[in-house]
Amino acid sequence: MAGISLTSVTKSFGGNTVLHGVSLDIAAGEFVALVGPSGCGKTTLMRIVAGIEQASSGTLRIQGRDATSLRAGERDVAMVFQSYALYPHLTVAENIAVPLAMRRLNAWQRLPLLGGLMPGARATRRRIAGEVAAAAESLGLGALLDRRPAQLSGGQRQRVALARAMVRRPAAFLMDEPLSNLDASLRVQTRREIVAIHRRAGAATLYVTHDQSEALTMADRVAVMQGGRILQVAPPREIYADPADLRVATFIGSPRINLLPGEAGRDGLVRVGDRLIGLRCAARGPLTLGIRPEAFVLAAEGLPARAEAVEFLGESVLLHTRHEASGSPLVLRLPPEAAGRLPASGAALHLGFAPGAALLFDQDGARRRAEAVVAREPALV
Amino acid sequence: MSDLAIAAPHRRAAGTGEAMAAWALTLPAAIAYLLMLLLPTLATAALAFTDYELGLDGFRWIGLGNFAEMLEDRGFLQSLRNTLVYVGLVTPGSIIGALLLALAIEAGTRGRTLFRAVFFLPVVSLSVAMAAAWQYLLHPTIGPLNAALRVIGIEGPAWLSSSDTVLLSLAAIGIWENLGFNLVLFLAGLTAIPRELYAAAAVDGVPSAWERFRLVTWPLLGPTTLFVLTITMIRSVRVFDTVVVLTQGGPNKASQVLLYTLYEEGFTYFRIGYSAAITLVFLGIVLASMWLQTKVLDKRVHYA
Amino acid sequence: MPERTPLLRDLPRLLFLTAAGLLMLMPYIWMAAASLKPLDEIFRASLSLWPERFFAAENYGKVFERIPVGRYLWNGVVVCGGILAFQILFAVPAGYALAKLRFRGRELVFGAVMLGLLVPPHVPALPLYVAFSQMGLLNSYTALIAPFTISVFAIFLFRQFFKSLPDDLIHAARLDGMSEMAIVWRVVLPNAWPAATAFAIFSVVAHWNDLFWPLIIANGDSHATPALGVMFFRSAEAGDDFGALMAAAVIMTAPLVIAFLLAQRRFVEGIASTGLKG
Ligand SMILES: Nc1ncnc2c1ncn2[C@@H]1O[C@H](COP(=O)(O)OP(=O)(O)OP(=O)(O)O)[C@@H](O)[C@H]1O
Ligand SMILES: [Mg+2]
C-alpha cells in the first residue's frame, strides 16, 4: 500500500500556477528525495501533503486514505521544517511532547496547572514523558531535555526537530531542506543519522533538498522537479545514467553534463559536425548529445578540441576544453594521476568516448534512444 | 607587526583629535541637558524638602515635612487613589482591547490599512479638542449617548459630573486614546512571529484557534505584551489633559489625579516645595513601573 | 501569507472590526455633525446626524470671528518647528559621537542619556517655571521651546541608528578630508532619513498635542498653541455653544489628522517605532 500518493495535484496562488498536475507515489517505508531549482514548487508540494496548504485540484491519499480535505493534525504525517520551527518558550522535552499532548490529552487536561488534576491526565502525561525520553535518547538528546532551543547548537536543534517529528510514529515523514542550516561536516553526519532513523521507523519519507548529492546518496528514488512539474522519478543511479529529459540530465551531475550539437542523417546515423560517432537512432534532424565529464578520455582520434584550463580537485582533475567545430565548452574528469601529463592551455587535443556513453535528446529535450553501430569509419574510442 | 608599530603613535594622535571632535559634537546637547534636564530635576528633588513658595522671599529646609503633609492631605491621597484606579482600568482595558483587535486584523487580508488607520486616529488627534467632543458626547441632557440610552428606556447618568461615574468615564476615554497605539505595537509583534511556527503547530495537531493562541501567539508575543504593558502604565499615570478640560478634578475631587494636583499646587497656588514633593512621588511611580518591566517580568518573556 | 479567504467566511471578522471601528469614530462623527447644526437642534438631542438646518457657516464663522485661529495654528507651527529644529541640531551630532567616535567619558555621556530617558518632562517643570518667571520669559516662545530642545530620546534613537551605519562610510569620508561636523551633516544625516522622519513625526505629534507646559507658560492669545486655543474658546466664548465649540475642535484637530491620513504608513511606523517615550 502506498504511503503517500499524489494524483494530478495543482496549486495556484491567485492567478499564479505553481504546481501543474503533480503525480507521485511513495511506498510505505520508501525514501524519496525531491530535488529541483529554487522556486520550482518543492516546499509548496510538501505543504500540501502536510495539510498546511490546500491543493487547488487533484487528490492526496495517505496510507490509502483520502486525505485531500483532512486537517493537518488529522493526517498522520510529521514534518521537519527548514528553520526547525521549535517553540522557543518550551524546553526540549516540552517541544518533543507537543504532538503527543495535542493528540492524547483533551482541552481540560492540557491546562497548565489544573490539567494535572483532571482524571487520567497524570498517567497519560507519564506515558508521554516516557516516549519523549526514549525518542530524545535515540537521538542523543538525553542530557538536553531541560534546555530551551536558544541554548542549543544548530545540529542539536535539528535533532530536536527530528525527535518531535518521529516521536508519534507517523505514517509519513516530510522534511524540507532539514540540513541546509548546518555546516558541511555536520551535514554529512546528520545525513547518515536521518537515513538510519528512516530505516528504523519505516515511514514513507519525502525529503526536499536542492543539494543533489544529498538526494543521490540518501534516497531510494529521486524525483526531479522543475517549473511545477515532476520530470522524472527514478533510483539515483538511473536518474544519473539514464535521464529521461535534457533538463534532468543537466540538473543532476557536477560538473554539469557536456552538451554538443549533433544531427541524425536520413540513414539515422548520428554525426557531430561531419563525424560519425557510431550511433544510430530512429529520429531524424538536429539532436543534442549529452556526455558526462568522466565519459571522455584523451585519445589519438576523436573530437578535435583545444585545452583551456585545469582544475585539481584532489580525488580527480577537471580539464576544461573547447570543441573546435561548435565552440561548445567540454569538461573532462580525469583520474588525479593524469594531472602531471595534461596538455598546456591552447594545445590541440582529441576527445574520445564510448558510443554508449552519449545520451541523445531531441530539440524538445526529450530523450532519444540509440543503438551502437559498427561503422565503416572507426568509432571514436 | 611592522604595521602595528607604525600605527600606534599615529593612532594616539588621531585618538585625541577624535576625542576633541566628539566633545565638540556633544557639547550643545550636553549644555542643554544640563540646563533643561539635569539641574532642574535635581532642583526639584531639592525643593521637595523646602517650603518654598513663589512670590515669598526665601525658604526653609523642612526635611520630610512636605511628605508628612501629603499623608494628611485628603486632596493628594484622593488623587493618588484615583490615579491608581485610572491606571488599573486603562491598562488592562486598552491592552486586551488592542490585542483582540490586532488578532482580528491579523487574521485576514482585507481592510488592514483602513482599520489600522481608524484605530490609530485618536493618537494623532488633539487631545484637548477630542476631550471637548467627549464632553458633548457624554453630556447628561443633550449628549448623544444618553439620547441613545433614552431610546431604549434608560435614563443615563451624568457621566462627567457625578462622582460615581466620572472616573469610569475618564478611564473609558483613556482606553479610547491608548487603544490604537497599543494595537499598532501588537500588530508589529504579531507580524514578527515566524509563520513556520503556526505551520508546525498545525502539523503537531493543534486542535483549535484557542490552543494555537496558547501554544504559539501568546508566548511569542510576550516581549511585545510586556513593552505595551509598561508603556500603557507610564502613559496613563500621566493623565492630565482630559481632567483639565472635562472635570478639573471634580466633582468633589472624585477625578483629582496626580498630575492635576501637582499642577494646582505648583502653578495655581505656587506652593513650589509641596508640588515638587508630589513630583517626586509621580517620578517614583513611573520608575517603579519601569523597574517592574526590566527586573521582574523581562526574564519571563525572553527565551534566549 | 494567508490566502484571500472567501468574503463570506471573512464576514464575521469584518463585521466585528467595523463595529469596533465605528465605536472608535463616534466622537469624530458627533463632533463633525454637531459643528454643522444650530444650537436649538443640538439641544433637542435627536439622534439624527444630519442637520435639518445647515448651520456650518455660522458655527465656523463664529470660531474665526471670536478667536485668532490663525494665530494659534501659527504658534503651534512655530513651537513644534522650533522644538524639532533644536532637537535635531543637538541630538544628531551627539548621537553620532556616541555611536561612532571613541573618547574618554563616552560611557558617562551614554549613561546620562539612559538616565534622562527615565525622567518624564513633568519632573523638571517646576524649577524651569520658576527660572523663566524670574527672567521675565513667561509667555514667550523661548519658554515654550527651550525645555524641549534637549531630547535624550532623540540622542538614543539616532545613536542606535548610526551604529548600524557601516564604519567604512565614515572612514571614506574622512579620507576625503571632511571634518567630523561635515561628516555628521553631509554623510550621516542623509543616511538617517528613516530615523529622522520617524522622530520628526513623533516629536511634532507629541508637542502639537501637549497641554501641560503651554498651560503653565502661555497665558494669553499671543502665544497660545492650538490645544490652549480650544480651551480658551471653550471657557471664555462658547460655554454651552456646542455647535461652535465642535467647530473649533474640528479646526484645531484637522491639520494633524489630515497629515496623518495623507502619510498614514509613515505616521504609524514613526510613532510605533519611537513609542518608547510615548
Ligand atoms: N503563499 C504564496 N503566495 C504566492 N506565491 C507563493 C506562495 N508560496 C509560494 N509561492 C510561489 O510559489 C513558487 C514555489 O515556491 P516554493 O516555496 O514551493 O519553492 P521551492 O521549490 O521550495 O523553492 P526553494 O528551493 O527556494 O525553497 C514560488 O515562485 C513562490 O514565489
Ligand atoms: Mg522551499
Side-chain angles (χ1 to χ4, degrees):
Chain A
M1 183 182 14
I4 304 173
S5 166
L6 292 149
T7 317
S8 314
V9 169
T10 67
K11 175 70 185 174
S12 326
F13 292 106
N16 175 23
T17 304
V18 174
L19 297 179
H20 305 266
V22 172
S23 298
L24 179 65
D25 283 298
I26 303 173
E30 192 184 22
F31 192 118
V32 170
L34 181 62
V35 288
S38 193
C40 72
K42 305 182 295 289
T43 299
T44 307
L45 185 66
M46 177 159 283
R47 291 166 70 91
I48 287 174
V49 176
I52 301 161
E53 210 91 66
Q54 289 295 316
S56 305
S57 69
T59 54
L60 163 69
R61 304 178 81 77
I62 292 171
Q63 286 207 308
R65 196 160 60 119
D66 186 351
T68 318
S69 50
L70 286 184
R71 284 195 298 121
E74 300 163 347
R75 301 179 174 196
D76 205 9
V77 298
M79 182 157 172
V80 177
F81 293 84
Q82 184 171 355
S83 62
Y84 313 142
L86 301 177
Y87 306 109
H89 58 293
L90 301 183
T91 63
V92 168
E94 288 164 342
N95 261 289
I96 302 176
V98 167
L100 297 180
M102 287 297 160
R103 283 182 172 73
R104 297 193 195 155
L105 296 171
N106 64 33
W108 293 109
Q109 292 170 327
R110 270 197 302 270
L111 286 180
L113 290 170
L114 282 170
L117 305 175
M118 294 292 147
R122 291 262 178 92
T124 313
R125 277 193 186 280
R126 243 194 324 274
R127 264 203 308 284
I128 290 178
E131 289 173 49
V132 166
E137 205 55 56
S138 75
L139 282 165
L141 294 168
L144 307 174
L145 283 175
D146 292 326
R147 299 235 193 128
R148 292 241 172 92
Q151 302 161 317
L152 300 177
S153 73
Q156 290 168 335
R157 275 179 225 176
Q158 207 272 342
R159 289 210 291 275
V160 176
L162 273 173
R164 184 176 66 178
M166 57 182 273
V167 71
R168 41 182 256 239
R169 308 180 182 288
F173 247 124
L174 307 173
M175 304 192 203
D176 192 358
E177 310 200 23
L179 305 185
S180 61
N181 287 339
L182 301 185
D183 65 40
S185 68
L186 201 54
R187 206 178 297 174
V188 173
Q189 180 200 336
T190 316
R191 222 189 249 182
R192 258 184 264 123
E193 280 176 12
I194 289 180
V195 172
I197 290 169
H198 167 74
R199 292 276 136 72
R200 255 183 287 149
T205 301
L206 179 60
Y207 184 100
V208 165
T209 172
H210 53 219
D211 179 343
Q212 45 163 307
S213 68
E214 223 167 272
L216 295 176
T217 50
M218 295 172 80
D220 297 322
R221 285 191 300 153
V222 176
V224 180
M225 190 166 182
Q226 222 168 75
R229 292 190 172 82
I230 290 191
L231 302 176
Q232 185 175 7
V233 192
R237 207 200 54 75
E238 193 179 323
I239 283 275
Y240 185 77
D242 197 10
D245 190 288
L246 182 58
R247 286 169 291 175
V248 176
T250 47
F251 187 75
I252 301 286
S254 169
R256 222 180 63 146
I257 194 167
N258 295 299
L259 300 180
L260 270 174
E263 180 152 16
R266 280 212 197 108
D267 48 5
L269 292 177
V270 180
R271 290 179 175 78
V272 174
D274 50 5
R275 277 171 182 275
L276 288 173
I277 58 162
L279 283 176
R280 186 206 300 280
C281 83
R284 301 290 181 267
L287 293 169
T288 302
L289 273 77
I291 302 162
R292 297 274 177 209
E294 62 275 17
F296 275 128
V297 291
L298 291 173
E301 265 291 315
L303 302 173
R306 241 169 232 292
E308 287 192 335
V310 173
E311 277 180 86
F312 184 70
L313 298 183
E315 84 290 355
S316 63
V317 186
L318 299 183
L319 173 61
H320 294 264
T321 72
R322 196 167 288 279
H323 184 216
E324 296 260 14
S326 65
S328 317
L330 298 176
V331 180
L332 287 74
R333 187 196 288 278
L334 300 169
E337 307 84 71
R341 298 176 273 110
L342 290 179
S345 175
L349 36 85
H350 293 268
L351 310 181
F353 58 93
L359 309 171
L360 301 183
F361 303 93
D362 68 17
Q363 284 191 297
D364 300 328
R367 177 76 182 281
R368 290 296 180 168
R369 301 286 156 182
E371 46 168 347
V373 288
V374 184
R376 265 180 298 109
E377 298 165 43
L380 308 171
V381 170
Chain B
M1 281 291 102
S2 62
D3 274 5
L4 266 184
I6 296 168
H10 173 74
R11 195 153 181 186
R12 202 169 305 132
T16 41
E18 197 171 307
M20 299 265 290
W23 278 109
L25 292 172
T26 339
L27 197 64
I31 293 174
Y33 181 89
L34 214 62
L35 290 181
M36 297 300 158
L37 193 56
L38 187 59
L39 292 179
T41 301
L42 293 177
T44 300
L47 285 170
F49 301 94
T50 70
D51 66 352
Y52 182 59
E53 293 188 22
L54 198 63
L56 298 184
D57 291 334
F59 59 83
R60 280 183 309 127
W61 293 97
I62 55 167
L64 293 174
N66 285 324
F67 297 93
E69 184 185 340
M70 272 182 214
L71 294 177
E72 314 271 280
D73 179 350
R74 192 179 82 82
F76 168 79
L77 292 176
Q78 183 73 16
S79 74
L80 190 61
R81 216 205 71 186
N82 287 343
T83 306
L84 297 181
V85 171
Y86 179 88
V87 173
L89 289 171
V90 171
T91 306
S94 64
I95 290 183
I96 294 170
L99 182 57
L100 281 178
L101 291 168
L103 287 170
I105 290 179
E106 180 69 16
T109 47
R110 288 187 185 84
R112 290 182 72 100
T113 352
L114 174 71
F115 287 120
R116 196 177 62 165
V118 166
F119 294 116
F120 199 70
L121 208 51
V123 180
V124 296
S125 301
L126 192 62
S127 54
V128 179
M130 292 324 292
W134 278 105
Q135 184 190 19
Y136 167 55
L137 208 61
L138 300 179
H139 194 283
T141 52
I142 65 171
L145 176 59
N146 278 0
L149 288 177
R150 240 169 269 135
V151 171
I152 55 171
I154 300 175
E155 191 53 42
W159 296 104
L160 291 167
S161 39
S162 138
S163 51
D164 295 334
T165 52
V166 64
L167 209 50
L168 268 178
S169 306
L170 287 176
I173 300 174
I175 291 174
W176 176 85
E177 285 176 329
N178 281 294
L179 194 71
F181 190 78
N182 295 348
L183 171 90
V184 166
L185 294 177
F186 274 128
L187 279 179
L190 284 174
T191 0
I193 298 178
R195 300 293 102 181
E196 281 207 339
L197 280 182
Y198 288 108
V203 173
D204 285 344
V206 166
S208 61
W210 164 244
E211 290 286 345
R212 187 172 58 225
F213 177 78
R214 259 194 48 201
L215 180 66
V216 180
T217 314
W218 180 248
L220 273 101
L221 216 48
T224 307
T225 312
L226 178 56
F227 180 65
V228 170
L229 177 71
T230 320
I231 286 263
T232 315
M233 280 170 66
I234 293 173
R235 282 166 69 97
S236 51
V237 176
R238 297 179 180 189
V239 56
F240 179 73
D241 298 8
T242 43
V243 175
V244 173
V245 177
L246 295 175
T247 67
Q248 313 201 313
N252 192 23
K253 299 205 185 296
S255 65
Q256 191 84 20
V257 293
L258 215 47
L259 273 192
Y260 191 71
T261 307
L262 182 164
Y263 170 82
E264 273 191 332
E265 293 292 346
F267 303 100
T268 313
Y269 311 135
F270 299 121
R271 300 184 57 210
I272 305 290
Y274 188 54
S275 181
I278 298 177
T279 309
L280 288 192
V281 173
F282 166 72
L283 180 63
I285 295 178
V286 171
L287 292 182
S289 359
M290 293 187 183
W291 178 80
L292 195 70
Q293 169 184 15
T294 51
K295 286 287 167 325
V296 185
L297 292 171
D298 212 32
K299 284 198 196 66
R300 301 184 45 182
V301 298
H302 285 108
Y303 312 114
Chain C
M1 303 159 276
E3 272 175 82
R4 236 174 148 72
T5 39
L7 186 58
L8 206 63
R9 274 243 315 270
D10 214 8
L11 218 52
R13 184 184 77 92
L14 291 175
L15 284 179
F16 167 67
L17 285 171
T18 309
L22 277 177
L23 209 61
M24 207 72 186
L25 291 179
M26 273 305 151
Y28 299 92
I29 295 170
W30 284 103
M31 173 173 83
S35 78
L36 306 176
K37 291 180 182 174
L39 208 52
D40 57 325
E41 251 182 76
I42 295 177
F43 273 92
R44 235 182 294 142
S46 87
L47 280 172
S48 129
L49 281 171
W50 201 247
E52 289 160 27
R53 204 149 53 85
F54 206 67
F55 216 66
E58 290 81 348
N59 283 335
Y60 285 86
K62 191 166 171 188
V63 177
F64 282 98
E65 190 181 300
R66 300 281 174 79
I67 55 170
V69 173
R71 177 91 226 168
Y72 296 155
L73 293 176
W74 173 245
N75 288 341
V77 171
V78 170
V79 169
C80 289
I83 289 175
L84 180 62
F86 277 106
Q87 283 177 335
I88 298 267
L89 196 68
F90 290 172
V92 167
Y96 167 75
L98 284 174
K100 292 292 184 192
L101 301 181
R102 300 145 138 280
F103 59 101
R104 272 160 63 102
R106 185 170 72 170
E107 299 310 310
L108 183 78
V109 174
F110 188 61
V113 168
M114 295 310 285
L115 208 63
L117 281 177
L118 301 177
V119 181
H122 311 85
V123 174
L126 282 165
L128 286 174
Y129 169 76
V130 173
F132 285 124
S133 88
Q134 303 292 357
M135 290 188 276
L137 283 174
L138 292 184
N139 218 16
S140 72
Y141 286 132
T142 313
L144 283 170
I145 293 173
F148 304 105
T149 51
I150 178 67
S151 166
V152 279
F153 176 61
I155 298 179
F156 178 75
L157 191 77
F158 283 118
R159 171 190 180 265
Q160 298 305 88
F161 195 84
F162 294 158
K163 260 187 126 52
S164 66
L165 290 180
D167 280 340
D168 286 347
L169 191 71
I170 288 140
H171 295 320
R174 274 189 207 141
L175 289 180
D176 289 344
M178 284 197 200
S179 70
E180 295 296 323
M181 203 46 141
I183 291 177
V184 171
W185 298 113
R186 303 205 2 225
V187 178
V188 174
L189 187 61
N191 281 296
W193 273 125
T197 37
F199 176 74
I201 289 171
F202 162 80
S203 165
V204 168
V205 168
H207 294 291
W208 186 270
N209 291 337
D210 185 29
L211 179 64
F212 187 78
W213 189 245
L215 191 61
I216 293 169
I217 292 297
N219 50 24
D221 284 340
S222 64
H223 290 83
T225 57
L228 277 182
V230 176
M231 283 216 25
F232 290 168
F233 185 66
R234 198 188 68 125
S235 49
E237 310 285 342
D240 274 335
D241 187 351
F242 278 101
L245 180 59
M246 291 302 107
V250 169
I251 295 169
M252 301 298 186
T253 315
L256 265 195
V257 167
I258 290 171
F260 166 67
L261 294 179
L262 290 180
Q264 207 231 110
R265 179 167 300 262
R266 273 186 186 285
F267 262 76
V268 170
E269 279 161 13
I271 295 182
S273 67
T274 50
L276 215 75
K277 258 205 119 187

